Amino acid sequence: MNKSSLLLHTILINSPQKDSRIMRIRLFLIIFLSSLVCSSIIYGQNVLSGHVTDKETGQTLPGATLYLPDLKTGTSTDKDGFYVLHNLPGSSLAIQVSYMGYKAEVVTVDLIKVHSRDFQLSPSAIEAKEVVVTGNALSSDNDRSSFSITPINKEKLLTLPSTNLINSISTIPGVSEITTGGEISKPVIRGLGYNSIVTLNEGVRQEGNQWGDEHGIEIDQFSADRIEVLKGPASLFYGSDAMGGVINILEQTPANPGSVNGEWISQFSTNDRLFSNSAMVEGNQNGWIWRVRGTYKTAASYLTPTEWVYNSGFDEKNFSLMAGVVKKWGYSHLHFSSFNSKIGMIDGTRDSATNQFIDYKGNIVTEESARSRSVEVPYQLVSHNKISSITNLLFKDNQVRFSVGYQGNNRKEFGESPDAPGLYFHLDSWTYDLRYTHLLGKSVELVGGLSGMTQFNRNHGTEYLIPDYDLQDWGAFVYTKKTWERFTFNLGLRYDYRHVKVYSLYLDSLGYPAPSGDTLFRAFSTNFSALTGSTGMTFRLNKAINFKFNIGRGFRAPNISELSANGLHEGTFRYEIGNPDLVPETSLQIDGEISWDNKYLSMAFNGFYNIIDNFIYYRNIDGEKKEVNGVWYPVYRYTQGNSLLKGFEFELDIHPVEPLHFDNSLDYVWGENLATGIPLPYIPALHLTDQVKWTFKIGKTSAIKNPYLQLELETHFNQNRIDVFETVTPGYVLLNFNAGTNLKVQKQIWTFYISGTNLLDTKYYDHLSRLKEVGIYNMGRRITFGLVIPFGIYRNERD
């Protein structure tokens, strides 16, 4: 019996039955170790080697990157442009080859027959496109996916000044954010947000009460290596809640074999005095890989052009650990992460005479207190712990990928006193996903999959907004894709089923839970099901012009707040009442794209038309109000009606000469509730971005590499198509800049950058800022300094 089998046997025999949580953790170890045992039955070992050169000159390209996304591994070329990849499976896999200043190549290589392959890259001033994996069963070139997908690499994520992960991607055409201060951001894709978007992190969907207005995404922003944003219905692969799209956060490529290295990321921002520091160390010894990361962020209150925003600071501590193995049979990774934050909640209460902020005790806040780093009541404490395993087994023309994850989310909101939380949700979520892929020849891809989720929510606070509930969810899909030389066609179907059980809650005369009394939540059970599907095609007319077309049906079951909320929603100034008779939303979206690329110009236009049946929304009917603690609040009840969303994204990148980059984008969303004839809420305004970037030429012997300067104009037009509880938002223009360079320090390449937003200190309200309604402007001028320092010991394994 080998060591893995012996450890697996020990776990099974000695597992106590009394502690279910220990059993759950050990289940992860069983699954993880079982995947390692599978390696003993899968045979074959291959090596791929060769050179990467300039297609025009034949010059070798040292430092070029080769990445195999289905194996989660890669390498880079040495000083002679030579590479070697060991322990490869006997199957066909996509390989992405990229190098700065060159067009990336995505090639599928039959590793059974091919053991030596040279790659020739063409110089291009246009930034290289990434391999995409979201929305596809296997990795493929973006041009071969009928879905609209935008990839963002780590360099862009780091150099764009941001306070959190969602904030860092909100400048992408078609993507925006609903914000509550500096730390809380919720993604919006083409006008849909909240439970209409699925966020994946390291292969597992993120669950953390995302129905709430002021509930952010509990993910360390520095842990992301790449992000792929899928715009439009993705229910085929991800089930309910992916009706609006998917944000897929991908971990970084493991360290090169035989190396131990790491990085230190440090950022400081003026205005809110945000300090961010993140350290990572990783290693790879003969395919056994590991990674450890710790991050700490702290920010004081931020400054608008007119005032310090009291209690807008936050404090965040994160830790993550990955251990795994990459071998000829595939890979298996075990992840653990812990996210912990303390975030001030801005209520905007002011003194009527002086217009200054008031604290929770009723005292006028001084300027010194307003700009402080301390977080006062009201605030929220959020902890999110996750353990997950993802395994991909490769053999000949087949792949089996399965993942399982457990997440424990604790959300405490202190609204009246720091001694005890008012709202306190404890959410346990189990998710699983299994996919089997079979290749017929080189052109047909067949996929079948199962996925599901088990969820339990319990209240432990003194205030209540949603009841205790249990949720069971599962779905199954089939998918096929046919590829020709210039044309691809795909088709898929999926069935989903969800069961929700809600528990009753009675309150006595003092407002405490009791066996009987006033009914706050009544018990009920409800089921939801849906049949969804997607079909699409791509067509490459020539090397420059590419077409995409997709029709997708999406599905979203009502969330717990929409079904059964009964309470005051802090920060929204509304009393919300759910509706247990709601039925699922379904959508039909038509999506088309045309793109044109050559050496010095890239252009893309993507239009969409999305019809949503039974769209869920809330309304205040006949001025209904309810008294809570002596204050009257409007009552909003959930109902349904059909809705329509349509719009486009247009991108134009002009690079007339190698050093000059002129990038432009324009995106627009139009939304209307067809049942009421009123525009949909939280629809971003027409948005135009213009960037000019100049990269300076420096001698080859200089320690300074690729210095650049970038100026940006960000134009947001008026938004006067609003829901009844919104207000019109005037247009505004922001001036931003970004400058940076790489620095060669011994054998390492450091990265230094300076970024500035709102340089003219413009007073403005973002239409999707929830603080607009209490008269608080968005952040004023802000300068961010950043430094990335790689370090490590490397051993070259060239054979």
Side-chain angles (χ1 to χ4, degrees):
M1 181 178 292
N2 60 35
K3 292 182 180 180
S4 297
S5 300
L6 179 60
L7 181 56
L8 176 60
H9 176 77
T10 303
I11 292 172
L12 288 170
I13 296 298
N14 297 330
S15 294
Q17 301 297 319
K18 295 181 180 180
D19 192 336
S20 60
R21 292 197 176 185
I22 293 178
M23 283 292 291
R24 292 172 182 173
I25 294 173
R26 289 183 172 178
L27 177 61
F28 279 104
L29 295 176
I30 293 171
I31 294 171
F32 179 66
L33 293 171
S34 297
S35 67
L36 305 188
V37 175
C38 290
S39 66
S40 63
I41 62 173
I42 302 172
Y43 300 94
Q45 176 175 346
N46 297 283
V47 174
L48 184 69
S49 62
H51 288 84
V52 180
T53 58
D54 185 307
K55 188 175 182 178
E56 295 181 359
T57 66
Q59 182 180 359
T60 59
L61 300 178
T65 300
L66 295 94
Y67 177 59
L68 290 77
D70 290 316
L71 199 57
K72 292 284 186 181
T73 190
T75 190
S76 55
T77 57
D78 62 15
K79 62 180 181 179
D80 299 318
F82 178 83
Y83 75 91
V84 59
L85 291 162
H86 297 277
N87 285 328
L88 298 179
S91 59
S92 296
L93 291 180
I95 301 177
Q96 175 180 268
V97 187
S98 58
Y99 190 73
M100 183 177 294
Y102 289 77
K103 183 178 181 181
E105 292 288 339
V106 181
V107 180
T108 298
V109 178
D110 186 345
L111 297 173
I112 298 177
K113 301 177 181 179
V114 179
H115 303 289
S116 177
R117 174 66 187 266
D118 293 335
F119 296 94
Q120 296 178 321
L121 302 184
S122 300
S124 175
I126 303 296
E127 295 180 357
K129 294 182 179 180
E130 298 274 344
V131 166
V132 295
V133 293
T134 302
N136 297 280
L138 288 176
S139 301
S140 65
D141 193 330
N142 198 344
D143 290 340
R144 291 287 188 170
S145 172
S146 64
F147 299 93
S148 176
I149 303 174
T150 300
I152 311 104
N153 60 29
K154 184 174 183 176
E155 180 184 3
K156 188 171 183 179
L157 289 172
L158 285 176
T159 56
L160 288 176
S162 60
T163 55
N164 59 72
L165 187 65
I166 300 304
N167 181 233
S168 67
I169 66 173
S170 61
T171 58
I172 297 171
V175 180
S176 49
E177 58 176 336
I178 297 173
T179 61
T180 308
E183 172 66 352
I184 302 174
S185 297
K186 303 185 69 65
V188 175
I189 299 177
R190 292 177 171 177
L192 293 176
Y194 297 88
N195 282 88
S196 295
I197 296 173
V198 166
T199 299
L200 297 174
N201 185 27
E202 298 168 343
V204 176
R205 65 182 286 166
Q206 186 82 3
E207 288 292 322
N209 290 297
Q210 53 265 41
W211 50 266
D213 288 83
E214 47 199 22
H215 300 171
I217 302 295
E218 299 91 0
I219 298 174
D220 180 359
Q221 72 179 96
F222 297 113
S223 67
D225 186 65
R226 300 183 313 284
I227 296 180
E228 298 165 355
V229 179
L230 191 156
K231 302 176 224 178
S235 298
L236 173 64
F237 293 111
Y238 304 104
S240 178
D241 301 354
M243 191 172 73
V246 173
I247 296 174
N248 190 8
I249 302 165
L250 302 169
E251 63 177 314
Q252 66 189 67
T253 306
N256 286 338
S259 67
V260 176
N261 52 48
E263 68 178 9
W264 176 274
I265 302 173
S266 186
Q267 292 182 348
F268 172 73
S269 297
T270 62
N271 191 299
D272 58 352
R273 291 157 288 157
L274 170 63
F275 285 98
S276 301
N277 290 284
S278 183
M280 182 275 293
V281 180
E282 64 176 351
N284 184 338
Q285 185 62 41
N286 195 28
W288 294 89
I289 60 176
W290 56 272
R291 182 185 306 117
V292 179
R293 179 181 291 276
T295 297
Y296 177 65
K297 297 165 57 179
T298 177
S301 295
Y302 69 85
L303 177 66
T304 74
T306 61
E307 62 183 349
W308 294 96
V309 180
Y310 172 64
N311 206 34
S312 58
F314 63 87
D315 191 84
E316 181 184 313
K317 303 179 183 71
N318 304 313
F319 173 79
S320 62
L321 172 67
M322 184 276 287
V325 60
V326 179
K327 293 291 184 180
K328 55 182 176 290
W329 47 266
Y331 70 87
S332 187
H333 294 178
L334 181 67
H335 294 272
F336 171 78
S337 63
S338 178
F339 176 100
N340 300 273
S341 66
K342 182 178 182 180
I343 305 171
M345 299 171 65
I346 307 162
D347 59 15
T349 305
R350 299 177 186 266
D351 176 64
S352 58
T354 64
N355 202 39
Q356 291 178 278
F357 289 108
I358 298 176
D359 65 18
Y360 76 102
K361 296 179 180 180
N363 302 318
I364 294 177
V365 177
T366 64
E367 181 176 335
E368 182 180 359
S369 297
R371 62 180 295 175
S372 171
R373 193 174 291 274
S374 63
V375 175
E376 307 292 343
V377 175
Y379 65 88
Q380 57 180 245
L381 286 177
V382 181
S383 66
H384 188 94
N385 297 315
K386 182 175 71 172
I387 182 171
S388 62
S389 173
I390 181 168
T391 299
N392 197 28
L393 304 176
L394 309 173
F395 43 100
K396 294 185 178 180
D397 297 326
N398 303 277
Q399 286 195 27
V400 178
R401 185 175 67 184
F402 57 93
S403 63
V404 60
Y406 165 73
Q407 300 168 70
N409 185 281
N410 287 285
R411 179 175 297 276
K412 303 176 184 179
E413 298 187 3
F414 297 79
E416 302 295 335
S417 166
D419 299 326
L423 292 174
Y424 181 179
F425 306 128
H426 176 78
L427 182 70
D428 286 321
S429 301
W430 283 83
T431 57
Y432 60 88
D433 183 87
L434 172 66
R435 296 185 186 184
Y436 170 73
T437 303
H438 178 67
L439 298 179
L440 294 176
K442 297 182 179 180
S443 62
V444 179
E445 180 181 318
L446 300 175
V447 188
L450 295 169
S451 61
M453 177 171 63
T454 299
Q455 199 168 75
F456 309 101
N457 181 78
R458 298 296 181 264
N459 286 290
H460 298 297
T462 58
E463 300 174 8
Y464 305 93
L465 176 60
I466 61 171
D468 295 349
Y469 72 91
D470 300 340
L471 182 149
Q472 297 287 339
D473 180 283
W474 67 267
F477 74 90
V478 292
Y479 169 85
T480 184
K481 180 179 178 180
K482 168 68 175 175
T483 303
W484 291 269
E485 182 179 356
R486 295 188 178 184
F487 182 78
T488 67
F489 174 79
N490 63 78
L491 175 67
L493 292 173
R494 181 185 179 101
Y495 177 77
D496 280 280
Y497 175 83
R498 174 172 288 187
H499 173 75
V500 180
K501 180 180 180 180
V502 174
Y503 293 93
S504 60
L505 178 63
Y506 304 99
L507 301 179
D508 61 20
S509 58
L510 298 177
Y512 294 105
S516 61
D518 293 334
T519 303
L520 185 64
F521 303 115
R522 68 176 183 86
F524 67 91
S525 295
T526 185
N527 301 316
F528 307 106
S529 62
L531 183 67
T532 57
S534 177
T535 184
M537 52 79 67
T538 69
F539 175 66
R540 177 167 287 282
L541 182 63
N542 51 46
K543 291 183 178 181
I545 301 175
N546 193 67
F547 296 91
K548 293 185 180 185
F549 180 78
N550 197 80
I551 300 177
R553 178 175 171 83
F555 152 70
R556 186 181 78 85
N559 65 45
I560 190 63
S561 178
E562 295 163 340
L563 287 171
S564 54
N566 189 10
L568 178 64
H569 200 163
E570 296 287 350
T572 65
F573 309 102
R574 297 191 299 267
Y575 193 97
E576 298 179 6
I577 298 178
N579 181 358
D581 296 324
L582 296 175
V583 299
E585 297 177 344
T586 56
S587 69
L588 182 66
Q589 176 164 310
I590 301 172
D591 192 290
E593 177 182 308
I594 179 172
S595 60
W596 180 39
D597 297 282
N598 63 27
K599 188 174 181 179
Y600 297 109
L601 186 145
S602 176
M603 180 175 63
F605 178 86
N606 193 309
F608 65 93
Y609 190 89
N610 191 7
I611 303 170
I612 304 176
D613 293 331
N614 300 310
F615 181 79
I616 300 172
Y617 62 99
Y618 43 64
R619 278 287 174 267
N620 176 257
I621 302 174
D622 298 329
E624 181 183 6
K625 294 184 178 181
K626 187 176 181 66
E627 184 183 11
V628 179
N629 298 326
V631 180
W632 288 90
Y633 294 91
V635 174
Y636 280 77
R637 297 179 180 270
Y638 286 93
T639 185
Q640 294 186 284
N642 297 340
S643 295
L644 173 65
L645 286 161
K646 58 184 178 179
F648 65 86
E649 295 106 36
F650 176 72
E651 298 178 72
L652 175 63
D653 299 345
I654 305 173
H655 299 173
V657 293
E658 184 178 349
L660 178 63
H661 297 244
F662 184 38
D663 302 340
N664 311 269
S665 67
L666 180 69
D667 59 296
Y668 176 68
V669 180
W670 184 97
E672 184 164 303
N673 188 327
L674 301 179
T676 63
I678 299 174
L680 294 176
Y682 297 124
I683 300 297
L686 177 66
H687 176 216
L688 172 66
T689 301
D690 301 293
Q691 295 178 348
V692 177
K693 180 179 179 181
W694 184 272
T695 303
F696 298 90
K697 288 187 176 182
I698 302 294
K700 293 183 178 181
T701 59
S702 174
I704 298 176
K705 305 292 183 182
N706 305 311
Y708 67 89
L709 176 65
Q710 175 180 291
L711 294 177
E712 176 185 83
L713 276 181
E714 188 179 342
T715 305
H716 296 254
F717 294 84
N718 296 337
Q719 180 55 290
N720 50 26
R721 301 194 75 258
I722 55 175
D723 203 337
V724 292
F725 62 84
E726 296 182 297
T727 57
V728 172
T729 304
Y732 56 93
V733 178
L734 303 179
L735 176 63
N736 309 318
F737 89 98
N738 193 304
T741 186
N742 293 327
L743 302 171
K744 186 175 182 180
V745 181
Q746 295 182 345
K747 295 183 179 181
Q748 307 291 344
I749 301 296
W750 294 18
T751 301
F752 175 74
Y753 53 91
I754 304 174
S755 301
T757 56
N758 193 9
L759 294 181
L760 302 181
D761 208 27
T762 301
K763 291 194 300 184
Y764 73 98
Y765 295 116
D766 185 284
H767 184 66
L768 272 60
S769 169
R770 296 181 57 249
L771 300 181
K772 182 186 72 166
E773 305 306 322
V774 291
I776 297 177
Y777 288 108
N778 283 77
M779 190 179 293
R781 184 185 299 110
R782 183 169 183 256
I783 309 297
T784 299
F785 303 87
L787 180 65
V788 181
I789 303 175
F791 58 88
I793 302 172
Y794 300 88
R795 291 198 300 270
N796 196 330
E797 287 203 347
R798 173 174 173 174
D799 290 339

